[in-house]
Amino acid sequence: MSEQETIVVGKLGSSYGIRGWLKIFSYTEEAESIFAYSPWFIQVRGEWQRFELEDWKRHNKGYVAKLKGLDQREDAQMLTNAEIAVSAEALPALSDEEFYWRELFGMDVVNAKGYHLGTVTDMLETGSNDVLVVKANLKDAFGKKERLIPFLEEQVIKSIDRTAQRIEVDWDPGF
């Protein structure tokens, strides 16, 4: 399975107990949602390998999980810090008004006057609101190579066109 077909949804932590359990760090919005996806793909020595979840449970303020075929602590320890990915097709379908962050990456960002601000390269979660990281290939007329644009729907984000791969924003190119 190639990396382009997988979405990283978490990370394995250290082993827990002697029966092959591992601590789980979920990147999903609702932490427990990670356990709804199956199978998991875990990168072992640079290659994605398929694993089935045997069991999971809450442990203190986090989670631990048991993967099928990992029955010894030593086996589990070899996966410490490995990323957990799922097939992109395993993610729930969204309405036309909803989208995953990964869908925004690579989209062109223009303001209402048609000025090209750059391309979305990342998203930042700040607590108060998410932020688009928009980069231009070269410094533009305003001397900007990178812009951080708050992801505030209706206020700043005016439209997102999946087909055209374009986001229209109400944003001054001087910022």
Side-chain angles (χ1 to χ4, degrees):
M1 174 162 242
S2 74
E3 282 187 56
Q4 293 168 337
E5 298 171 319
T6 59
I7 306 298
V8 174
V9 293
K11 183 172 119 175
L12 297 171
S14 60
S15 59
Y16 169 77
I18 61 170
R19 302 277 183 231
W21 288 70
L22 288 152
K23 292 180 182 173
I24 303 296
F25 299 98
S26 176
Y27 301 157
T28 58
E29 190 170 355
E30 303 278 331
E32 284 186 14
S33 296
I34 193 170
F35 302 111
Y37 300 115
S38 182
W40 283 359
F41 295 91
I42 299 172
Q43 203 162 34
V44 180
R45 293 182 208 96
E47 288 187 31
W48 292 108
Q49 292 186 16
R50 180 186 174 120
F51 285 87
E52 296 291 334
L53 186 64
E54 184 175 311
D55 199 6
W56 67 273
K57 62 184 175 183
R58 214 177 235 301
H59 176 67
N60 293 330
K61 294 182 180 180
Y63 299 93
V64 293
K66 172 83 173 68
L67 301 175
K68 288 182 183 175
L70 288 182
D71 298 318
Q72 302 296 318
R73 180 181 181 90
E74 295 75 25
D75 296 334
Q77 286 173 326
M78 291 175 52
L79 298 179
T80 297
N81 294 324
E83 291 184 325
I84 302 167
V86 297
S87 168
E89 291 81 40
L91 299 175
L94 301 177
S95 72
D96 289 342
E97 294 81 39
E98 298 176 306
F99 45 83
Y100 290 107
W101 278 11
R102 67 179 175 83
E103 293 179 89
L104 302 178
F105 297 160
M107 284 191 179
D108 288 321
V109 179
V110 296
N111 72 3
K113 295 180 180 174
Y115 187 86
H116 185 263
L117 300 170
T119 304
V120 177
T121 59
D122 203 357
M123 292 283 294
L124 303 175
E125 199 171 359
T126 65
S128 57
N129 58 270
D130 298 330
V131 175
L132 288 172
V133 178
V134 178
K135 290 188 180 177
N137 288 336
L138 305 169
K139 282 188 179 177
D140 64 12
F142 296 90
K144 302 287 183 183
K145 186 160 170 82
E146 179 179 273
R147 289 180 174 84
L148 301 177
I149 300 175
F151 196 88
L152 299 170
E153 293 184 84
E154 296 178 21
Q155 248 180 305
V156 176
I157 307 298
K158 295 303 180 183
S159 68
I160 298 172
D161 186 336
R162 283 183 172 105
T163 306
Q165 289 290 289
R166 176 183 157 127
I167 300 172
E168 185 179 316
V169 295
D170 182 6
W171 197 253
D172 184 331
F175 287 154

